[in-house]
Amino acid sequence: MEKYEIKGGCHLRGEVEISGAKNAAVAIIPAALLVDGVCRIENLPEISDTEALLHILASLGAKVKMIDPSTVEVDCRHVHWENADYDRMRKIRASYYFIGSMLGRFGKAQTTMPGGCNFGVRPIDQHVKGMTALGAPVDVRNGYIFSEAQTEDGRLHGAEIYLDKVSVGATINVIIAACMAEGKTVIENCAREPHVVDLANFLNSMGADIRGAGTDTVKINGVKSLHGGSYAIIPDQIEAATYMIAAAATQGEVLVKNVIPKHLDCISAKLREMSVTVEEYPDSVLVRAREQLTKTNVKTQPYPGFPTDAQAPISVALSQSRGVSIITESVYDGNRYKHMNELRKMGATITVNGSTAVLEGPYELTGATVQACDLRAGAAMVIAGLCAKGTTYVEDIHYIERGYQDFVGKLRALGADIAIVDFPDDVEEAELSVV
Ligand code: EPZ
């Protein structure tokens, strides 16, 4: 089993280049199915989720050509909706975006129930509400999702949709589906994340007519078809947040390059509350933490609030901060605190009660063998290993590899002592003697 081996006690120093946004890429690739032409997508993050989605697109008949590791050309002129690579679909959450793009292109869709990081309940009722409103009821059976436009012309028809919950996925999925619906669609109570805007900009560059992305109301005038074109994905807000927080937690100094500082306002504000210096430049931010971090409180919110995906990483920085810090996870009802148990293995006595976690730092973390419980929790455990005394082993690193391009390489370039080590599978089970 491959694990990260991290020797702690380092102060990250140097520069790191941020890759393309994972949560934009995993929406744009399925959305390319709508395009009756060739799309050139640039600044793709080189992560396993991107690769899986390109394979799924190819299983639907698209011609996928990697121009270089972060540039792909997809030709969706001759595609079909059936016989997708369902095994890959089952493994990632973003496969549900193929519902929207299959319905938009073909008027019918078959996908699997989504996979992805397992933290709490992750329903898709708002996706179902949106597709149903557009004229395509959704049926879930045997682990598959079936949907077909019940309209005379077999196409989706525009509708007014109010999302009961601010949902990135549902907002994106309905935008994708409505692009080529007959007539106008208005979606209220939308998510406003940068990757929602990026998806809309991608589709508009291919001829769609989407307005208001980035606000809570998005209006879409359906078009007959989308033409080919090229598009560059925005930098990853959460990857950037992860390195900013790691610089703070290790009391280092890191220039985080190729970012959109506006997308990081909430992270910069929180770090400044913790006595961290954050300097903003046109496409980079400099994070410097020379002195003891000080406590603060964090409540996760939909954008532009503090992102839930940065909650686990900032928990580690708060564990190194002097004083009592309170974290409130308000985006996910379920349990997005699995990393707290892993931090306890390293010496942090954290109290969790429902959606609230209380940390009384600074804790002196000691190296241990810990799990990456999900993508962001895994990144948090790496940051904890960097702060700890001694050596930390992080297991289940496949979660991390899903969302962070060259995580080990980028951290090593910042002075981290981290490597991937391959442990033979656990020792042979001892024979049980039967008496
Ligand atoms: C996206 O997940 C991201 N994933 C998540 O990032 C991120 O944590 C989340 O948005 C919130 O920002 C991708 O973009 C692939 P939601 P998504 O729908 O779309 C509830 C990462 O680390 N909800 O915005 O699944 C839901 O349970 C990943 O990169 C419903 O109730 O999240 C949650 O409580 C992890 N019904 C809240 O809304 C629905 O139909 C927000 O979920 C949909 C969601």
Side-chain angles (χ1 to χ4, degrees):
M1 169 206 283
E2 287 194 333
K3 306 178 183 181
Y4 289 157
E5 180 184 73
I6 305 156
K7 294 192 171 63
C10 85
H11 302 282
L12 295 181
R13 293 220 191 301
E15 298 184 355
V16 62
E17 187 90 16
I18 298 305
S19 304
K22 167 182 93 77
N23 290 344
V26 299
I28 286 170
I29 293 169
L33 186 67
L34 291 172
V35 178
D36 184 13
V38 179
C39 290
R40 180 186 174 91
I41 306 170
E42 299 170 354
N43 201 33
L44 269 178
E46 299 161 47
I47 54 178
S48 55
D49 270 13
T50 306
E51 189 184 344
L53 288 163
L54 288 172
H55 277 289
I56 295 167
L57 200 56
S59 71
L60 293 168
K63 290 189 179 56
V64 176
K65 191 166 77 177
M66 294 309 294
I67 307 301
D68 64 43
S70 63
T71 305
V72 68
E73 280 185 1
V74 291
D75 179 347
C76 291
R77 280 175 289 190
H78 307 290
V79 289
H80 50 81
W81 65 279
E82 292 169 298
N83 307 321
D85 183 336
Y86 298 121
D87 286 343
R88 280 196 165 93
M89 276 190 172
R90 262 183 213 96
K91 296 190 175 76
I92 55 179
R93 180 148 181 95
S95 55
Y96 56 29
Y97 291 137
F98 281 104
I99 303 169
S101 58
M102 285 179 182
L103 283 174
R105 181 77 187 255
F106 308 110
K108 45 187 148 183
Q110 177 180 344
T111 71
T112 66
M113 279 299 280
C117 289
N118 174 22
F119 41 80
V121 180
R122 298 182 75 183
I124 60 167
D125 57 302
Q126 298 303 303
H127 299 246
V128 172
K129 176 177 185 178
M131 301 310 160
T132 305
L134 293 170
V138 176
D139 181 23
V140 178
R141 58 178 188 278
N142 307 110
Y144 287 91
I145 298 172
F146 301 91
S147 184
E148 185 164 1
Q150 305 299 310
T151 54
E152 277 177 29
D153 60 4
R155 286 181 68 193
L156 298 180
H157 287 196
E160 299 210 350
I161 300 158
Y162 177 83
L163 295 176
D164 301 313
K165 184 113 183 195
V166 176
S167 160
V168 166
T171 303
I172 287 177
N173 221 350
V174 176
I175 289 173
I176 291 173
C179 264
M180 298 199 298
E182 183 64 38
K184 181 173 181 177
T185 296
V186 179
I187 317 167
E188 304 272 6
N189 199 28
C190 293
R192 297 183 276 165
E193 271 68 6
H195 32 286
V196 174
V197 178
D198 211 30
L199 176 273
N201 289 343
F202 163 76
L203 290 170
N204 281 340
S205 70
M206 305 292 155
D209 182 355
I210 305 163
R211 299 160 198 217
T215 73
D216 61 5
T217 302
V218 174
K219 295 177 180 168
I220 301 142
N221 293 311
V223 295
K224 288 270 182 274
S225 67
L226 296 184
H227 55 69
S230 65
Y231 190 78
I233 291 175
I234 56 169
D236 193 314
Q237 171 206 26
I238 304 300
E239 185 195 17
T242 304
Y243 286 103
M244 291 171 71
I245 292 167
T250 59
Q251 294 201 350
E253 178 167 336
V254 175
L255 182 65
V256 184
K257 298 164 64 178
N258 186 33
V259 299
I260 299 172
K262 178 67 189 158
H263 292 166
L264 302 168
D265 280 353
C266 45
I267 308 297
S268 303
K270 271 302 149 191
L271 292 178
R272 289 181 181 125
E273 289 172 21
M274 297 165 69
S275 309
V276 176
T277 302
V278 181
E279 293 170 10
E280 291 181 11
Y281 301 99
D283 61 358
S284 60
V285 290
L286 177 66
V287 177
R288 183 189 307 122
R290 283 265 188 261
E291 53 194 89
Q292 168 65 50
L293 301 182
T294 52
K295 60 116 178 144
T296 189
N297 297 331
V298 171
K299 180 174 183 178
T300 65
Q301 300 273 12
Y303 190 84
F306 191 90
T308 175
D309 294 346
Q311 181 258 105
I314 200 132
S315 302
V316 179
L318 292 172
S319 80
Q320 301 305 293
S321 305
R322 182 175 305 289
V324 178
S325 298
I326 297 172
I327 300 172
T328 308
E329 173 53 65
S330 68
V331 173
Y332 284 98
D333 309 339
N335 170 8
R336 199 170 189 179
Y337 283 136
K338 287 184 181 164
H339 56 288
M340 298 299 190
N341 220 26
E342 302 306 307
L343 281 173
R344 289 189 187 108
K345 294 176 186 174
M346 301 177 75
T349 53
I350 297 166
T351 312
V352 173
N353 186 356
S355 64
T356 303
V358 180
L359 298 87
E360 189 165 0
Y363 299 110
E364 187 177 284
L365 301 179
T366 52
T369 296
V370 291
Q371 266 70 47
C373 304
D374 62 59
L375 166 58
R376 308 303 175 183
M381 297 325 296
V382 172
I383 298 172
L386 295 172
C387 298
K389 277 194 181 349
T391 302
T392 296
Y393 291 97
V394 180
E395 298 181 334
D396 300 326
I397 59 175
H398 58 89
Y399 280 115
I400 304 172
E401 309 275 314
R402 280 187 43 211
Y404 288 92
Q405 178 177 323
D406 191 19
F407 200 37
V408 171
K410 292 186 181 184
L411 285 170
R412 290 173 68 87
L414 292 172
D417 184 346
I418 179 173
I420 296 178
V421 291
D422 194 355
F423 282 70
D425 284 341
D426 292 341
V427 292
E428 286 297 311
E429 279 197 8
E431 283 295 314
L432 295 179
S433 61
V434 179
V435 196

